[in-house]
Amino acid sequence: MPQRSDAQANRERILDIAEDVFGHGGKSASTEEVARLAGVGIATVFRNFPTKAALLEAVLVRHFNRLQAEAEARLGEQDPGAAFFGFFRHLVAGAATKIALVEALLEAGGFGDSEAAEASHALRRAVGGLLQRAQQAGAVRNDVELPEVYALLVGTSRAAAQAPLDDEVRSRMLAIVFAGLAATGRTKAADFS
Amino acid sequence: MPQRSDAQANRERILDIAEDVFGHGGKSASTEEVARLAGVGIATVFRNFPTKAALLEAVLVRHFNRLQAEAEARLGEQDPGAAFFGFFRHLVAGAATKIALVEALLEAGGFGDSEAAEASHALRRAVGGLLQRAQQAGAVRNDVELPEVYALLVGTSRAAAQAPLDDEVRSRMLAIVFAGLAATGRTKAADFS
Amino acid sequence: MPQRSDAQANRERILDIAEDVFGHGGKSASTEEVARLAGVGIATVFRNFPTKAALLEAVLVRHFNRLQAEAEARLGEQDPGAAFFGFFRHLVAGAATKIALVEALLEAGGFGDSEAAEASHALRRAVGGLLQRAQQAGAVRNDVELPEVYALLVGTSRAAAQAPLDDEVRSRMLAIVFAGLAATGRTKAADFS
Amino acid sequence: MPQRSDAQANRERILDIAEDVFGHGGKSASTEEVARLAGVGIATVFRNFPTKAALLEAVLVRHFNRLQAEAEARLGEQDPGAAFFGFFRHLVAGAATKIALVEALLEAGGFGDSEAAEASHALRRAVGGLLQRAQQAGAVRNDVELPEVYALLVGTSRAAAQAPLDDEVRSRMLAIVFAGLAATGRTKAADFS
DNA sequence: AATGAATGAGCTTTCATTCAT
DNA sequence: GATGAATGAAAGCTCATTCAT
């Protein structure tokens, strides 16, 4: 029972734990477990997030924002191909234990006009930026477009989030996708595999 | 609410509805909804499938068996490349509204030594057969192996199962994956896209 | 599935099995188990006994009637003391695995005007006859009356019906009660222990 | 429906009501009825006792502990015979409306190594203490042992718990048992009847 | 007459959410 | 603000009973 601890700190701790709990157990994990692991009362969770959906959304927004920041940071890298494929790999690797997050990734429009929808779109735009640069640099075929690339990002993340997919298989799976995305056969993309 | 209409027909209708319901809502959809949509009492569902898990398993077994039959039928086709890529496309297209089923696809071993586990492995073996023939025929790179191919099958299915992914995007997504799998650049696989 | 078997035989088999099932599991045992063990369909049970309560009652009536017959048979024995104490011991020993039956023994008035109530009263009267003769013969104290004797019969039966009460303990328990009932200390009653 | 009145008081009220409800209806009485009579929501019952079995156990433990305390208090009495027979009478009188509790009394070992098993054994030991002192004082025959005495305790309680057994009959029933337990004929024990 | 599939009410248990402290 | 006890609406599952065959 933390006394007079800063409310903001509580909110962050709840989000951290929720990300973990929902990541492992899916959205069907219980709010009470979040509260318990966060070391706060259940009512404190509901004070900060009036609804379970709101909590889930907050987790997603934060996660999307992080990914967006990561993507935008890579926009400034020298090698646009390395930037694009590196981000792709980074996102998929990070999804390994975040089932619920990945589930939400594609539901772009499913959030209504919520903050989560906006965060999701912003991430998508950032990925679009990486793709465009990679195409202009000749690292990715010019005839692919964002929707299918994004779908692949989500799909491979989803595959990686399941339990029995070890690192090596994930790597080989990505090598195939990258080969398909690469401008000239698979040679170039293989560099990032 | 039909009574005593025909036991076998009832069982099949329950399975059909359950495939639909669990396909959309995931395994968290309620058994009661299955019963209601099937037009039977809740107890009838539980008479046929003593447990919710048993119902889900029965749905999966039937689905896996269908896919396996489809895969094995294609083993006899003349063009091994067309057989492999055609089946891949077929499976992904069919996954469009079957979220939970796809979820279960990768959980392969998670069923203990149940019937579902065996059905899942049988499907995997059948896919392995298609892959092997396609490689021998030079349609698929020799350095890819079943685990990553299966992961891609699952991942792209998962991506396709989400709501706002229309046919064209799905097709273009698969074109990328097929290009990555194709033996010589993307030329060959593109034929099946 | 017995075909065209005599209906009466079915009824008897159901009663036999029900006595066993309810004896072990109490009245909360399921009717379906009775049907299964009797080798008949569930509907056959309900055709013969329109209600679970009716089945239970039929079991009780038969059991009470048997005990009554046994008691009345002993009325003709030469030694009234041996007749009384012997019947007491017989009833308690027989109760060992018949929880539900014993439960019902004391509920004399609880059956309304049903057949079971009559059977229960008839048994009670028969026990009264044995008691009276034993008292007239000087084997049982004259100041005890049927209500408390019947209560002891039921109580010791109940104790014996519980699982971990082995034969020897039951015997020693009865020896105490018999000593209390005997006219002159415990000497006489001990003869029957 | 009081809210947040006082947790401990609520817990006690639930236990009180449960003792009553299970006492009358046996363990097949519904938890929902306990909640309703206690004036709390069903979930409140399950918050305090995570399982129906746990609730039943808690009721039993409390009951056993009370009886044990009573027995031990009587260990200090001057007249060991009065202590033993008095406790016997007290326990049987108290059982009048506690069918299920009495049922549980003999199932002693049936609880695994739960708290209820320990409480039951402790009670049994306390009764053993009373018995031993009464025997040393010459108030109870030396050749009786705890198992049969305990069985009689349970059996007479069971008999007394049934509906139509009025006070006088119960008293006369006990007089018989006490006469059987008494060291020299029935003279001595009759004093406590 | 016999069957067993179908039924719906009811039970135990869980969980998001509210509210008195 | 924070707490956690209390809530009621499901959910999964069982069982006595009915009814078409």
Side-chain angles (χ1 to χ4, degrees):
Chain A
M1 281 167 257
Q3 292 128 332
R4 240 357 307 179
S5 75
D6 200 16
Q8 184 60 27
N10 256 350
R11 198 189 138 93
E12 285 303 314
R13 185 163 60 254
I14 290 170
L15 277 178
D16 288 343
I17 298 291
E19 183 162 349
D20 205 46
V21 169
F22 291 139
H24 285 70
K27 64 188 63 171
S28 71
S30 93
T31 310
E32 196 129 10
E33 195 187 355
V34 173
R36 186 166 41 81
L37 292 179
V40 301
I42 179 76
T44 301
V45 175
F46 277 88
R47 166 166 293 276
N48 282 279
F49 309 95
T51 248
K52 184 183 185 178
L55 171 58
L56 203 61
E57 244 195 60
V59 170
L60 294 175
V61 165
R62 207 179 56 159
H63 191 64
F64 289 160
N65 286 345
R66 280 196 202 123
L67 289 174
Q68 182 196 349
E70 169 79 16
E72 288 171 351
R74 300 216 188 214
L75 273 177
E77 287 189 4
Q78 291 215 326
D79 182 340
F84 173 77
F85 289 112
F87 177 76
F88 200 122
R89 178 171 298 279
H90 167 77
L91 190 150
V92 173
T97 56
K98 304 189 175 176
I99 297 183
L101 300 178
V102 174
E103 265 173 13
L105 262 178
L106 192 50
E107 289 177 359
F111 297 107
D113 324 341
S114 66
E115 207 185 348
E118 175 47 31
S120 170
H121 290 140
L123 169 58
R124 193 183 176 100
R125 278 193 297 275
V127 173
L130 284 173
L131 173 62
Q132 197 175 8
R133 279 194 73 224
Q135 287 177 313
Q136 289 166 348
V140 171
R141 285 160 51 180
N142 272 313
D143 58 350
V144 307
E145 294 177 19
L146 182 56
E148 57 261 30
V149 170
Y150 206 77
L152 279 171
L153 203 46
V154 171
T156 50
S157 291
R158 198 63 181 78
Q162 301 296 41
L165 190 58
D166 63 38
D167 286 1
E168 199 188 344
V169 173
R170 190 177 71 235
S171 207
R172 298 161 68 90
M173 170 183 75
L174 286 180
I176 294 169
V177 172
F178 290 178
L181 286 167
T184 56
R186 65 181 178 275
T187 329
K188 268 204 145 136
D191 297 346
F192 314 108
S193 298
Chain B
M1 281 164 249
Q3 202 158 339
R4 199 63 208 275
S5 55
D6 183 51
Q8 184 60 29
N10 247 345
R11 201 189 136 94
E12 286 303 316
R13 183 164 63 257
I14 291 171
L15 276 178
D16 288 343
I17 298 290
E19 184 161 350
D20 204 47
V21 169
F22 290 138
H24 284 67
K27 65 190 63 174
S28 71
S30 92
T31 309
E32 205 139 357
E33 196 187 353
V34 173
R36 186 166 41 78
L37 292 179
V40 300
I42 181 70
T44 299
V45 176
F46 278 94
R47 161 170 281 271
N48 282 279
F49 309 96
T51 251
K52 184 182 184 176
L55 172 57
L56 203 63
E57 243 196 63
V59 170
L60 293 175
V61 166
R62 206 179 56 158
H63 190 62
F64 288 159
N65 285 346
R66 279 194 201 129
L67 290 175
Q68 182 197 349
E70 169 78 17
E72 286 172 353
R74 300 212 187 221
L75 272 177
E77 287 189 4
Q78 291 215 324
D79 183 340
F84 172 77
F85 289 112
F87 176 76
F88 201 122
R89 178 171 298 279
H90 167 79
L91 190 151
V92 173
T97 56
K98 304 186 176 175
I99 299 184
L101 301 180
V102 175
E103 262 173 20
L105 264 175
L106 193 49
E107 287 178 0
F111 295 104
D113 33 351
S114 66
E115 208 186 347
E118 175 46 32
S120 170
H121 290 143
L123 170 58
R124 195 184 175 100
R125 279 193 298 274
V127 173
L130 284 173
L131 173 62
Q132 198 175 6
R133 279 193 72 224
Q135 288 176 314
Q136 288 166 347
V140 170
R141 286 160 50 178
N142 273 311
D143 59 348
V144 306
E145 293 175 22
L146 183 55
E148 56 262 28
V149 170
Y150 207 77
L152 279 170
L153 207 43
V154 171
T156 50
S157 291
R158 196 63 178 76
Q162 299 297 36
L165 190 57
D166 61 39
D167 286 1
E168 199 188 344
V169 173
R170 189 177 70 236
S171 206
R172 297 161 69 91
M173 170 183 75
L174 286 180
I176 295 170
V177 173
F178 290 179
L181 286 167
T184 56
R186 66 182 177 276
T187 328
K188 267 204 147 136
D191 297 346
F192 312 109
S193 299
Chain C
M1 282 165 258
Q3 291 129 334
R4 241 351 317 173
S5 74
D6 199 18
Q8 185 58 28
N10 255 351
R11 200 189 138 91
E12 285 303 314
R13 184 163 61 254
I14 290 170
L15 277 178
D16 288 342
I17 297 291
E19 184 163 350
D20 204 47
V21 169
F22 291 138
H24 285 70
K27 62 189 65 171
S28 70
S30 93
T31 310
E32 196 130 8
E33 194 186 356
V34 174
R36 186 165 42 79
L37 291 179
V40 302
I42 178 77
T44 299
V45 176
F46 277 88
R47 165 166 294 274
N48 283 278
F49 310 95
T51 248
K52 184 183 184 177
L55 171 57
L56 203 61
E57 243 195 60
V59 170
L60 294 176
V61 166
R62 208 179 55 160
H63 191 64
F64 288 161
N65 286 345
R66 279 196 203 123
L67 289 175
Q68 182 196 347
E70 168 79 16
E72 288 172 352
R74 299 212 189 219
L75 273 177
E77 287 190 5
Q78 291 214 326
D79 183 339
F84 173 77
F85 289 112
F87 176 75
F88 201 123
R89 179 172 296 282
H90 168 77
L91 191 149
V92 174
T97 56
K98 305 189 173 175
I99 297 183
L101 300 178
V102 174
E103 265 173 15
L105 262 178
L106 192 51
E107 291 177 0
F111 296 108
D113 323 340
S114 67
E115 207 185 348
E118 176 46 31
S120 171
H121 290 141
L123 169 58
R124 193 183 176 101
R125 278 192 299 274
V127 173
L130 284 173
L131 173 62
Q132 199 175 5
R133 280 193 72 224
Q135 287 177 314
Q136 288 167 349
V140 170
R141 288 159 50 179
N142 272 313
D143 59 348
V144 307
E145 294 175 20
L146 182 56
E148 56 263 28
V149 171
Y150 206 77
L152 279 171
L153 203 46
V154 171
T156 50
S157 291
R158 198 64 181 77
Q162 301 296 39
L165 191 56
D166 62 38
D167 285 0
E168 199 187 345
V169 173
R170 190 177 69 235
S171 207
R172 298 162 68 91
M173 171 183 75
L174 286 179
I176 294 169
V177 172
F178 290 178
L181 286 168
T184 57
R186 65 179 178 278
T187 328
K188 267 206 147 134
D191 297 345
F192 314 109
S193 298
Chain D
M1 282 164 246
Q3 201 159 341
R4 198 60 208 276
S5 56
D6 183 51
Q8 185 60 28
N10 248 345
R11 200 190 137 95
E12 286 304 315
R13 183 164 61 256
I14 290 171
L15 276 178
D16 288 342
I17 298 289
E19 185 161 349
D20 204 47
V21 169
F22 290 138
H24 284 66
K27 63 190 64 171
S28 69
S30 92
T31 309
E32 205 140 355
E33 195 187 354
V34 174
R36 187 165 41 78
L37 291 178
V40 300
I42 180 70
T44 300
V45 177
F46 278 91
R47 161 170 282 271
N48 283 278
F49 310 95
T51 251
K52 184 183 184 174
L55 172 57
L56 203 64
E57 242 195 63
V59 170
L60 293 175
V61 166
R62 207 179 54 159
H63 190 63
F64 288 159
N65 285 345
R66 280 194 201 129
L67 290 175
Q68 182 197 349
E70 170 77 17
E72 286 172 352
R74 299 214 188 219
L75 271 177
E77 288 189 4
Q78 291 216 326
D79 183 338
F84 173 77
F85 289 112
F87 176 75
F88 201 122
R89 179 172 297 280
H90 168 78
L91 189 150
V92 173
T97 55
K98 304 186 176 172
I99 298 184
L101 300 180
V102 176
E103 262 174 19
L105 264 176
L106 194 49
E107 288 179 0
F111 296 105
D113 35 349
S114 67
E115 208 185 347
E118 175 47 30
S120 170
H121 290 143
L123 169 58
R124 195 186 176 99
R125 278 193 298 272
V127 173
L130 285 173
L131 173 62
Q132 197 176 6
R133 280 192 71 224
Q135 287 177 315
Q136 289 167 348
V140 170
R141 286 161 48 181
N142 273 313
D143 59 348
V144 307
E145 292 175 21
L146 184 56
E148 56 263 28
V149 170
Y150 207 76
L152 279 171
L153 207 44
V154 171
T156 50
S157 291
R158 197 63 177 75
Q162 299 298 36
L165 190 57
D166 62 40
D167 286 0
E168 200 187 344
V169 173
R170 189 176 72 234
S171 207
R172 298 162 67 89
M173 170 182 76
L174 286 180
I176 294 170
V177 172
F178 290 178
L181 286 167
T184 56
R186 64 182 179 275
T187 329
K188 267 204 148 136
D191 298 345
F192 314 109
S193 298

